[in-house]
Amino acid sequence: MLEMIMLGSGSGGNACVVRDEDTMILIDAGFSGAEIRKRMQLVGLDPDNLEACLITHEHGDHIKGASILSKRHKVSLLMHPATRLAGKRIFNGSERIRHFEMKEVMDLGSLKITSVPTLHDSATSTGFLIESGGTSLGYLTDLGTVTEDNFLMMRTADFLVMEANHDRDMLWNGHYPPHLKARVDSRVGHLSNRDSAEFIALLAELGELRGVMLAHLSEKNNDPELARSVVSNRQERDLEIFLARQDKPSKPIIVE
Ligand SMILES: [Zn+2]
Ligand SMILES: [Zn+2]
């Protein structure tokens, strides 16, 4: 059994709790330390009980509170060495940091974690597959396109947290400056609803996937119900679809 609570997701900050009966971890710490603690307490959790925090990449909306979290709550930060180097404006050497390589399989308490390389315009960028007993949860946000590798590694996931960042028409008809539109839409930018829907459909058909949480939705270039309908309409199988919010934690989701 795995339990997942998205504390918040979007360009204003990302943090997600995943746990089984014995071990609790956080993926990303993109809010202030105080905000992470507040949101965890809101759902009845204590950051002192975190086994570790996995870091996907060095962008501010993913590491803002990582240093404070590590120091205040004695939480180890797990990241790729390139993430640490690129995040040196945040990491000052006083944190507990452990490095991993891409596709490394790590034991964290009772959880098994595999790091998954993703395409994004950061020094390096990581997705994760988290397993406990026979259950697994995938985590893929901040990627401009999905790779065959992403598919192969997520094929066993029962549940997936998946970026559905923007609607391409809303992006290109919106108010972002041209260079920013091009960046978001590029192979190393963010994933559109349609591309997300396509990947989810593939996993539902050829893999084990039974549920998704759409995450990192743009507040300017997307609409939650539009994202939900694009993903839902593309599915040929029954799939539970949840939407992550920026402003408050999700309800706990149990994956069995
Ligand atoms: Zn981000
Ligand atoms: Zn990013």
Side-chain angles (χ1 to χ4, degrees):
M1 188 276 286
L2 282 166
E3 182 184 12
M4 188 274 287
I5 302 174
M6 181 63 83
L7 297 179
S9 180
S11 57
N14 295 271
C16 180
V17 173
V18 180
R19 64 174 182 160
D20 66 4
E21 291 86 349
D22 302 312
T23 305
M24 175 167 72
I25 59 166
L26 196 64
I27 304 176
D28 284 334
F31 299 98
S32 72
E35 183 67 19
I36 290 170
R37 189 177 55 212
K38 192 180 106 189
R39 290 188 185 216
M40 285 189 73
Q41 285 169 347
L42 208 60
V43 294
L45 300 173
D46 182 349
D48 282 338
N49 296 331
L50 284 167
E51 175 84 20
C53 175
L54 310 176
I55 304 288
T56 57
H57 64 298
E58 82 277 9
H59 288 162
D61 56 322
H62 299 262
I63 64 168
K64 186 178 176 190
S67 182
I68 292 285
L69 184 79
S70 178
K71 277 176 267 188
R72 202 173 280 163
H73 301 286
K74 302 184 172 49
V75 178
S76 296
L77 307 177
L78 267 71
M79 67 187 80
H80 190 277
T83 302
R84 181 189 198 166
L85 202 62
K88 58 178 184 282
R89 71 191 185 285
I90 296 273
F91 308 123
N92 58 24
S94 62
E95 305 85 5
R96 300 164 178 233
I97 292 185
R98 276 177 56 192
H99 289 148
F100 58 73
E101 295 302 322
M102 283 304 172
K103 299 194 182 179
E104 186 174 332
V105 182
M106 301 164 269
D107 287 314
L108 274 181
S110 52
L111 301 177
K112 190 170 102 177
I113 319 275
T114 310
S115 55
V116 181
T118 53
L119 284 175
H120 189 53
D121 56 1
S122 49
T124 189
S125 182
T126 319
F128 297 102
L129 185 71
I130 297 153
E131 296 168 81
S132 170
T135 308
S136 62
L137 177 143
Y139 193 94
L140 287 178
T141 69
D142 294 64
L143 63 173
T145 189
V146 283
T147 61
E148 185 182 2
D149 218 28
N150 292 157
F151 169 74
L152 293 174
M153 300 198 74
M154 292 300 165
R155 208 162 35 168
T156 57
D158 300 292
F159 191 91
L160 183 65
V161 177
M162 184 73 195
E163 170 162 57
N165 178 260
H166 60 274
D167 172 78
R168 285 193 78 213
D169 289 338
M170 283 178 76
L171 173 71
W172 284 100
N173 295 326
H175 296 296
Y176 274 15
H179 73 273
L180 195 53
K181 291 178 179 178
R183 187 235 144 193
V184 170
D185 200 22
S186 81
R187 285 183 79 246
V188 290
H190 290 281
L191 210 62
S192 72
N193 293 338
R194 210 162 283 279
D195 288 348
S196 186
E198 200 67 39
F199 184 66
I200 290 166
L202 206 62
L203 283 180
E205 199 178 323
L206 302 174
E208 307 292 324
L209 196 67
R210 286 171 286 121
V212 288
M213 175 173 280
L214 305 180
H216 217 297
L217 272 69
S218 167
E219 289 184 327
K220 295 213 166 60
N221 304 316
N222 210 349
D223 174 274
E225 287 315 315
L226 175 65
R228 182 199 290 277
S229 74
V230 169
V231 171
S232 164
N233 290 341
R234 177 65 187 79
Q235 304 310 312
E236 283 160 20
R237 286 169 190 257
D238 267 356
L239 198 70
E240 267 202 292
I241 301 174
F242 302 90
L243 290 166
R245 293 182 59 132
Q246 181 74 88
D247 59 337
K248 62 174 188 185
S250 70
K251 62 177 190 180
I253 290 169
I254 306 288
V255 185
E256 291 178 301

